[in-house]
Amino acid sequence: MLPAITLLMISLLVGSSWTREDLDAIRAAKQSADSALAAFDRGLYRDFGLFALTDQEVNRTSSEYLLPDTFCQKITVKESLYDNDLLMGAIARHMSVRATAGLVDEAISRIRVIRDILPDKMADSVSSLVAADPDTISPDLEEDESNEEWFSEYSKYIDQEYREDYHDSLLALSPVYVPDASGSGTVEDFDPYKVSSLEKLAQGLDTMMFTLPEGFTDQILLSEYTLSYFGSQVNSLKQNGSTKQYRTPDGRLHSQFAESRQYEQEMIATGSTGEKAARNVKYFLTGFRILVNLLSTILSSDELALYDAKAAAISASVAVISLGFITIPPEAISAVLIISDSIAGGIKDKNKLLDGEEIKLWPSAGAEAFKVNYRDHLRLLILFQPKEKLLERISAAIKQNYGDEYFTAVSCEVTRPAYVVGKFSRRDFAITIERRYFSRKEKETQ
């Protein structure tokens, strides 16, 4: 029996050794695939915030150190970064928090400007009432003292029973819809005085930007990504007597980008290239501001009255000078004046925007009107572009700086041919491990 037992034990040892080799090969394949992802292009991530790698870099950094001697390893790259769906996922993954934070920060800065204006104006409007006599202000107001005790008891009752609940209900009048990856969501009441509610609001905004694969959020992400990482012909904002330099989310100045990147935002917004893209944006600014100035004048009765008065005076002057032989209808003169001033105003607004200044959104509004800048107009232009076109233009802008060969996934294949050792035969072995960078739909690598 001893030879049979010895042969059995040798078979078990050989089988266990081969099984351990196969297990080591699987572990080596996983390790190689994971390590390949670490070879992403640092420059690409620094300039555009995207994870991607090249075939050359993967082959240079790959190693077969952990692979058993009889096995062979082959690593290939796949899934081009410039595929629209993959690029959209990478941008969404990178910009979900950054876009939300940037928009909130911009909104807060504009709210602060309004807050700095309103208190003084409100104080000025009521300053005349501080020392005024109530009887003089409202002589018909008389104090009813007949029910003073009843009114006092009624006020206490209202304070105890209703006013507190009424105040709490007002604070909860801001529901927030929090979507989830399945397409449904929940409604949360937002109380600005509770930290937990602020966290829910932030979570809702981040989830909306991150998980929704379709809809207006993609356009917002693409517009904010374009304005954050690409160069423009306007790199600063003049606001309240100071100049603010535009920066990337990691703090790099747009003004320090290479000259070849000067019109990238305009190229993405219009589809043209170089200076032609800049000219197209200028044409858009001029036309848009002419239209806004024209509508502002037409919809303002005070402005129309001024133009009608000017037109009537010009018409009368022409009639007097020509001794009545030439009569121009005031309506025609008024229309010409409105159009000419709208054109002049649109060109003036365009020049201010290109100089980095802010202008009033509605020209006929008061001095404290809501103001817009060059970026706001460019953002509007980008938001109305088709998503697929924006992704193609973003891909073209990245290719212009880093070339075509960038991928977001790797595949590690480990093989071993069949062979025979003595009386023991071993079948062939093959396994493929795939790894990719996170997309907005994935919680972990595959």
Side-chain angles (χ1 to χ4, degrees), residues 27-201:
R27 290 173 175 170
K30 290 182 176 180
Q31 181 67 29
S32 296
D34 291 335
S35 299
L37 295 182
F40 66 90
D41 192 303
R42 268 60 176 174
L44 179 68
Y45 182 79
R46 179 194 64 238
D47 290 343
F48 298 107
L50 302 177
F51 286 103
L53 42 79
T54 63
D55 189 21
Q56 295 82 0
E57 189 65 21
V58 169
N59 292 330
R60 187 182 69 83
T61 59
S62 63
S63 172
E64 299 182 1
Y65 177 74
L66 298 177
L67 199 67
D69 295 336
T70 56
F71 292 79
C72 296
Q73 172 180 286
K74 180 182 179 182
I75 299 180
T76 56
V77 293
K78 54 193 305 185
E79 297 183 3
S80 173
L81 172 67
Y82 303 115
D83 179 87
N84 282 354
D85 291 336
L86 296 176
L87 182 59
M88 185 67 244
I91 293 175
R93 185 78 183 186
H94 182 74
M95 289 300 296
S96 61
V97 176
R98 292 171 175 84
T100 304
L103 291 172
V104 170
D105 180 68
E106 187 171 340
I108 290 175
S109 64
R110 298 193 177 189
I111 291 173
R112 283 175 179 169
V113 173
I114 299 175
R115 187 184 63 184
D116 292 339
I117 294 173
L118 288 180
D120 295 337
K121 297 299 179 183
M122 293 174 65
D124 294 341
S125 64
V126 301
S127 59
S128 60
L129 303 177
V130 174
D133 185 2
D135 295 333
T136 304
I137 298 173
S138 183
D140 298 329
L141 181 63
E142 297 180 358
E143 184 178 357
D144 185 6
E145 298 180 354
S146 60
N147 294 324
E148 183 177 350
E149 183 178 354
W150 169 84
F151 183 77
S152 177
E153 294 296 329
Y154 175 75
S155 297
K156 291 180 181 179
Y157 175 77
I158 290 296
D159 288 338
Q160 294 174 358
E161 299 295 334
Y162 292 101
R163 283 200 174 116
E164 184 177 355
D165 293 336
Y166 176 70
H167 178 71
D168 292 340
S169 65
L170 286 179
L171 295 179
L173 285 180
S174 300
V176 176
Y177 179 76
V178 181
D180 54 31
S182 64
S184 60
T186 58
V187 177
E188 300 287 350
D189 292 330
F190 168 55
D191 183 349
Y193 293 98
K194 294 182 180 179
V195 176
S196 59
S197 294
L198 293 173
E199 292 175 350
K200 289 180 180 178
L201 176 63

Side-chain angles (χ1 to χ4, degrees), residues 323-356:
L323 300 177
F325 289 101
I326 300 177
T327 303
I328 303 176
E331 293 81 4
I333 297 177
S334 178
V336 171
L337 291 176
I338 291 174
I339 294 174
S340 61
D341 285 353
S342 298
I343 294 174
I347 295 174
K348 183 179 179 181
D349 288 346
K350 181 261 297 183
N351 292 333
K352 286 184 176 180
L353 291 172
L354 292 175
D355 195 37

